[in-house]
Amino acid sequence: MIGVFDSGVGGLTVVKEIFKYFPQEKVFYFGDTLHLPYGTKSEKTIKNYSEKIVSWFQKENINLIIIACNTASSWAEEYLKNKFKDIYIFGMIEPTVKEVARIYKDKKIKKIGVIGTSGTIKSRVYEKKLLEINKNFKIYSKSCPLFVSLIEEGLIKDKITKEVALKYLKPLKEKNIDALILGCTHYPLIKDLIYEILGENILIINPAEALIRELKLFFENNKQIKNKKEKNHKFFFSDVPYNFEKIKNFCFNKKININFEIKNPFNEKII
Ligand code: DGL
């Protein structure tokens, strides 16, 4: 069983890849809708929420955990890996940066755009890690906070989203970037629009796909890991996930039925 957590429903874009590449694995998903959004919260708060979620997963005997949320990965991926040394934790940052390291020479990538929530961009974590691979990279980061709401409203093909995207992506287009990292759970859902604006030659890097590559390697090298075995997927949210159906339908075949429970592992009183 693979534990996956996110601030809400966006992590389904990561679950989609897990279902596709590891159909034999069951997913234990938690979306922290009670504290949504993560993208506008401080490092301290995100570390605190993430740590509580991982502690709960640990109590549930889940020892392989994916931080699907890019904001939580930006602020807390290293922190959680250091804190929970006896669990396997994968965030979005390390696999993505490794993917860039793997391909940049062949693909002649020099200028890289990074888009994400305000928190992800403020953390500058993608930028720092990419420059560790090659200090000559030119990194252009841009927070695109409205994308999450527009996508959750189902406005993926709407002209409003196109206008917003034109505005957000303009500075990246002007810099003639070679590659773009989609540093937020939701952005793969508007990949076509991004291609339309930046051109088909741009190399789009989806952290969820980079994660799959890392997971494949991990399973190859750790055949013996004692992982919790379950018959069914389990989905939990800390409060009502209003846009669950919409995002689910964008990610999966409409017929797929996913039941979820409301569960608050934070021991917080909700007034
Ligand atoms: N899941 C978040 C991320 O990938 C986006 C939504 C939020 O701000 O909570 O950064």
Side-chain angles (χ1 to χ4, degrees):
M1 181 158 240
I2 304 180
V4 179
F5 78 89
D6 177 46
S7 54
V9 294
L12 293 181
T13 58
V14 177
V15 172
K16 172 187 172 187
E17 303 298 331
I18 295 176
F19 280 4
K20 182 168 162 198
Y21 290 97
F22 307 105
Q24 73 289 0
E25 291 290 337
K26 296 293 174 243
V27 165
F28 186 102
Y29 184 92
F30 177 67
D32 190 10
T33 35
L34 177 64
H35 298 124
L36 186 82
Y38 276 18
T40 50
K41 299 210 166 58
S42 69
E43 172 174 6
K44 196 170 155 216
T45 302
I46 299 305
K47 279 183 172 156
N48 178 23
Y49 294 155
S50 305
E51 188 177 338
K52 286 190 173 138
I53 297 166
V54 174
S55 298
W56 170 51
F57 276 24
Q58 197 179 26
K59 279 197 206 100
E60 295 286 332
N61 291 319
I62 291 159
N63 59 4
L64 172 55
I65 298 176
I66 314 294
I67 314 166
C69 178
N70 271 264
T71 310
S73 299
S74 300
W75 292 126
E77 183 174 321
E78 280 189 15
Y79 173 76
L80 295 172
K81 284 180 183 169
N82 286 326
K83 191 113 203 166
F84 297 90
K85 291 216 179 343
D86 48 348
I87 337 183
Y88 302 102
I89 297 182
F90 290 82
M92 292 292 126
I93 314 296
E94 201 180 306
T96 307
V97 171
K98 279 192 184 165
E99 178 68 3
V100 174
R102 195 177 66 83
I103 59 174
Y104 81 94
K105 285 188 187 139
D106 280 357
K107 305 271 182 197
K108 301 191 171 41
I109 295 172
K110 293 192 178 98
K111 293 187 252 175
I112 307 174
V114 180
I115 53 174
T117 63
S118 306
T120 295
I121 299 307
K122 186 167 188 291
S123 78
R124 299 183 63 196
V125 80
Y126 272 118
E127 195 177 326
K128 285 181 215 152
K129 302 259 174 199
L130 289 167
L131 290 174
E132 280 169 21
I133 303 174
N134 182 346
K135 62 177 179 8
N136 296 321
F137 277 153
K138 294 271 175 275
I139 316 288
Y140 302 99
S141 303
K142 180 87 185 84
S143 63
C144 305
L146 287 174
F147 279 163
V148 168
S149 317
L150 290 165
I151 293 166
E152 291 206 7
E153 272 301 307
L155 298 172
I156 285 178
K157 299 218 181 292
D158 197 282
K159 63 177 191 311
I160 303 177
T161 310
K162 185 166 180 182
E163 270 183 37
V164 171
L166 280 167
K167 189 171 169 60
Y168 280 155
L169 300 176
K170 190 169 176 247
L172 303 180
K173 194 175 165 73
E174 282 170 1
K175 295 290 177 196
N176 252 319
I177 51 168
D178 309 306
L180 178 70
I181 295 177
L182 304 183
C184 175
T185 42
H186 293 59
Y187 302 173
L189 297 172
I190 51 164
K191 198 169 159 182
D192 291 347
L193 175 62
I194 294 173
Y195 272 126
E196 195 187 315
I197 294 172
L198 294 181
E200 292 291 325
N201 288 335
I202 186 107
L203 187 89
I204 289 189
I205 301 172
N206 175 0
E209 287 167 5
L211 168 86
I212 295 298
R213 177 176 288 275
E214 279 294 287
L215 276 182
K216 278 185 183 159
L217 276 175
F218 172 80
F219 284 127
E220 272 164 35
N221 297 328
N222 295 276
K223 294 214 165 68
Q224 307 302 335
I225 71 153
K226 281 205 193 92
N227 204 3
K228 184 169 172 167
K229 300 271 178 281
E230 286 278 347
K231 282 209 183 78
N232 298 312
H233 301 294
K234 291 193 170 175
F235 283 76
F236 300 93
F237 292 93
S238 48
D239 203 348
V240 213
Y242 280 113
N243 296 322
F244 179 74
E245 280 301 312
K246 233 180 269 167
I247 298 296
K248 189 196 82 180
N249 293 343
F250 284 134
C251 289
F252 310 106
N253 174 335
K254 281 196 173 86
K255 279 174 222 126
I256 186 173
N257 189 24
I258 300 180
N259 296 320
F260 61 81
E261 282 173 44
I262 304 293
K263 163 116 191 153
N264 174 7
F266 297 97
N267 296 323
E268 277 170 22
K269 281 202 184 103
I270 307 171
I271 305 160

